[in-house]
Amino acid sequence: MEVAFNSFKKDETFRDSVSTIAADGKRAWIFPKKPKGKLYNARTLVSYGFLVIFFAMPWIKISGHPFMLLNVIERKFVLFGVAFFPQDFFLFVLAVLTFVVFIALFTALFGRLWCGWACPQTVFMEMVFRKIEYWIEGDMMQQKALDKRSWDSYKAMRKISKHSIFFIIAFIISNTFLAYIIGIDEWKKIATDGVTAHMVGFMTILVFTGVFYGVYARFREQVCIVVCPYGRLQGVLLDPNSVIVGYDYKRGEPRGKISTAIENKTGDCIDCHQCVQVCPTGIDIRNGTQLECINCTACIDVCNSIMDKVNKPQGLIRYTSENAISKGIKFKITGRIIGYCIVLFVLFGTLITFLAIRSDIETTVLRTTGLLYQKTDEQHISNVFSIEMVNKTFNDVPVELRIIEPAGEVKWVGNGITSIKEQSVAQGLFFLILPKSEIIKTKTKVKFEIYSNGKKMAKAETSFLGPNN
Ligand code: SF4
Ligand code: SF4
């Protein structure tokens, strides 16, 4: 990234190239050393928690209905047991805006904590696929040796085993992903009815499997470096007070081999390159904050173990901020943080208010276009209206449309809407007949209320067209 946080580093040429692209433009494959340490253990536990949540969520139901459903195909969404429809799109926009501001605030305070600890890409890559790779192919040196080795039964066995397991896990992820979209009941049908009965569903699973397999077997850290928009925004989201995985250059420099430390008065960094070897994106954190750093903390763990060995205090690489390293300022609430907090508070408050007043039955009444008013008799005028009612609940709901203001009469075209099926939309047409005495101008405001079993569920407003008296 462009923000030069690391003030000791004068040579910025490392920013001219990407660690995973070789000089000839080909992919430079990363063989990260297996991480060990307290933070890695903690991250493993947290990741397992997230994995349990990810795989369990589609199976959770509340009163027989999904807890989480992201059906983009039929545009039905259930979040934490509450159903949302396209009519709630403004809530979605508001939620996204709130989330974006929250991310900006969180990143300004804690840097890329999300990337290292909670991002599904990191969780699956580092805690599932990478662990399997270490288990089958060994640590960094064994992996490099295996890569150089010419093809024989030993290499083939390992590669086939690894990629078969990768494919199976990608298949499981793909099925879970599909269950989020179509719901667990529909997914069960695909899984049990046989391939030919659900060809589209089966092909979708295969495509998802191919994508997940490709990402975790080949594309890997490129997702974070090349694709992820959040990673690319770090340059504007971070500031010198943000907490990042940082190298304490004041303590570490000038770096030098331990054998030369006394004569040359070098800093605490013994230039062992262990922090570079464990890095899953192949960078040297001693160069300063970089776009590629996903804050996985592997370099913190390994450097702490090195410091233990050379009898120096831990924390040469640690969670810190540039200002903490360069000026000793531990934490500072900046104007930017206060600004983010205010905007977040307003957005969050608005979102909660709209969620609280959101009705289960949403109604839209529109005067039929192209039609003027009709005289039903000498004393009455009528307009034709179309009505759309959305039942956002998981139950069939009986409904009754009442005209509240002005006094008038509703006459349905056909049978009218008397009940709405669960999670569905009902549409109808009706005449609204008003006494001439109620019409004093061309457009008269009319108010409706929708009742279910005597309880007010929603209201709607529209205008009635009449002669200008
Ligand atoms: S692991 Fe620590 S001591 Fe070794 S090179 Fe990295 S920063 Fe220096
Ligand atoms: S620099 Fe450290 S924290 Fe950043 S990705 Fe590499 S190992 Fe992880």
Side-chain angles (χ1 to χ4, degrees):
M1 62 186 254
E2 285 69 32
V3 179
F5 283 168
N6 198 337
S7 55
F8 88 92
K9 190 85 186 166
K10 299 289 177 241
D11 178 12
E12 298 267 325
T13 50
F14 70 93
R15 296 190 194 278
D16 299 339
S17 58
V18 179
S19 52
T20 52
I21 301 173
D24 59 3
K26 290 194 179 134
R27 173 86 172 269
W29 194 258
I30 308 276
F31 297 95
K33 191 174 149 70
K34 192 176 176 182
K36 276 186 210 130
K38 279 187 194 157
L39 285 168
Y40 184 67
N41 293 343
R43 277 204 313 127
T44 303
L45 279 179
V46 172
S47 299
Y48 289 166
F50 281 127
L51 289 171
V52 169
I53 292 170
F54 172 76
F55 287 111
M57 198 93 88
W59 295 87
I60 302 173
K61 288 190 172 183
I62 297 176
S63 309
H65 304 291
F67 179 68
M68 194 65 82
L69 180 76
L70 307 170
N71 192 337
V72 283
I73 305 158
E74 292 174 15
R75 296 185 295 165
K76 281 184 186 171
F77 303 90
V78 182
L79 303 175
F80 307 107
V82 181
F84 291 87
F85 282 79
Q87 286 79 0
D88 295 314
F89 187 71
F90 75 100
L91 284 175
F92 173 75
V93 173
L94 203 54
V96 169
L97 277 175
T98 310
F99 184 68
V100 167
V101 176
F102 171 75
I103 290 286
L105 172 65
F106 188 87
T107 311
L109 285 170
F110 306 112
R112 294 177 77 173
L113 208 62
W114 158 264
C115 300
W117 291 77
C119 174
Q121 169 65 18
T122 311
V123 168
F124 276 108
M125 186 65 245
E126 301 306 323
M127 296 298 162
V128 179
F129 290 89
R130 191 87 73 189
K131 279 179 188 278
I132 291 165
E133 196 163 69
Y134 288 133
W135 174 54
I136 295 175
E137 294 188 352
D139 208 341
M140 177 184 79
M141 296 314 286
Q142 289 98 328
Q143 285 185 26
K144 280 186 178 172
L146 188 70
D147 197 55
K148 284 202 185 110
R149 188 184 178 117
S150 47
W151 281 96
D152 58 5
S153 59
Y154 178 87
K155 181 168 177 172
M157 269 287 291
R158 266 146 193 82
K159 292 287 178 194
I160 290 169
S161 315
K162 182 181 91 170
H163 286 285
S164 304
I165 295 175
F166 277 11
F167 193 83
I168 291 167
I169 295 174
F171 183 73
I172 295 169
I173 298 173
S174 153
N175 277 273
T176 309
F177 192 64
L178 189 66
Y180 273 96
I181 296 174
I182 60 173
I184 200 70
D185 295 331
E186 288 302 311
W187 173 82
K188 277 186 195 163
K189 284 182 197 160
I190 297 176
T192 53
D193 285 358
V195 172
T196 46
H198 299 281
M199 200 44 115
V200 175
F202 184 70
M203 292 308 290
T204 309
I205 290 175
L206 278 190
V207 170
F208 283 165
T209 304
V211 170
F212 286 122
Y213 170 78
V215 164
Y216 295 115
R218 298 299 307 169
F219 204 52
R220 302 192 151 195
E221 72 289 335
Q222 300 299 304
V223 173
C224 312
I225 299 174
V226 181
V227 180
C228 177
Y230 178 58
R232 307 200 75 80
L233 279 174
Q234 295 306 306
V236 287
L237 293 176
L238 293 177
D239 66 32
N241 291 300
S242 308
V243 174
I244 42 153
V245 172
Y247 164 67
D248 188 340
Y249 50 85
K250 282 208 157 175
R251 206 186 117 186
E253 299 298 316
R255 66 188 76 161
K257 296 289 175 203
I258 197 158
S259 55
T260 59
I262 298 164
E263 309 90 78
N264 297 341
K265 293 195 172 56
T266 53
D268 283 358
C269 175
I270 61 167
D271 209 15
C272 63
H273 274 255
Q274 291 291 307
C275 51
V276 183
Q277 288 182 2
V278 287
C279 181
T281 59
I283 58 165
D284 186 343
I285 191 64
R286 296 172 301 167
N287 285 333
T289 312
Q290 292 150 78
L291 177 155
E292 295 93 330
C293 176
I294 54 167
N295 277 29
C296 75
T297 69
C299 53
I300 298 183
D301 274 334
V302 78
C303 190
N304 280 344
S305 73
I306 299 294
M307 290 297 106
D308 287 346
K309 283 180 192 149
V310 297
N311 288 323
K312 296 268 169 67
Q314 292 190 349
L316 180 57
I317 302 175
R318 61 181 185 273
Y319 274 125
T320 185
S321 69
E322 168 58 21
N323 275 347
I325 295 172
S326 60
K327 301 174 191 159
I329 300 168
K330 288 275 181 241
F331 179 72
K332 195 176 162 197
I333 295 189
T334 58
R336 191 159 85 118
I337 301 291
I338 295 169
Y340 281 146
C341 286
I342 292 169
V343 177
L344 185 63
F345 183 76
V346 171
L347 281 172
F348 192 66
T350 313
L351 180 64
I352 292 295
T353 308
F354 276 122
L355 281 172
I357 61 170
R358 173 181 178 269
S359 58
D360 286 341
I361 305 288
E362 187 164 310
T363 306
T364 311
V365 180
L366 292 173
R367 197 164 13 82
T368 308
T369 48
L371 284 180
L372 292 174
Y373 60 87
Q374 303 86 39
K375 275 188 185 172
T376 47
D377 56 42
E378 283 309 310
Q379 299 306 320
H380 292 88
I381 303 281
S382 75
N383 277 190
V384 186
F385 291 90
S386 62
I387 183 166
E388 185 180 89
M389 291 189 200
V390 185
N391 176 2
K392 298 175 186 172
T393 71
F394 291 110
N395 303 308
D396 293 357
V397 175
V399 284
E400 183 197 345
L401 177 70
R402 294 183 193 170
I403 169 81
I404 302 300
E405 189 187 306
E409 187 192 353
V410 169
K411 264 196 178 173
W412 287 101
V413 177
N415 293 332
I417 303 173
T418 51
S419 82
I420 320 167
K421 289 207 171 302
E422 59 164 301
Q423 291 191 69
S424 63
V425 181
Q427 289 169 329
L429 276 179
F430 66 88
F431 286 95
L432 176 63
I433 304 162
L434 296 187
K436 261 185 168 176
S437 56
E438 295 285 352
I439 302 162
I440 48 171
K441 51 189 176 182
T442 318
K443 279 187 178 176
T444 305
K445 196 168 162 185
V446 286
K447 291 182 182 173
F448 299 95
E449 284 178 355
I450 290 83
Y451 284 78
S452 178
N453 294 326
K455 186 181 162 207
K456 190 167 99 178
M457 302 293 284
K459 52 187 182 179
E461 280 187 17
T462 186
S463 61
F464 188 96
L465 212 58
N468 195 354
N469 290 330

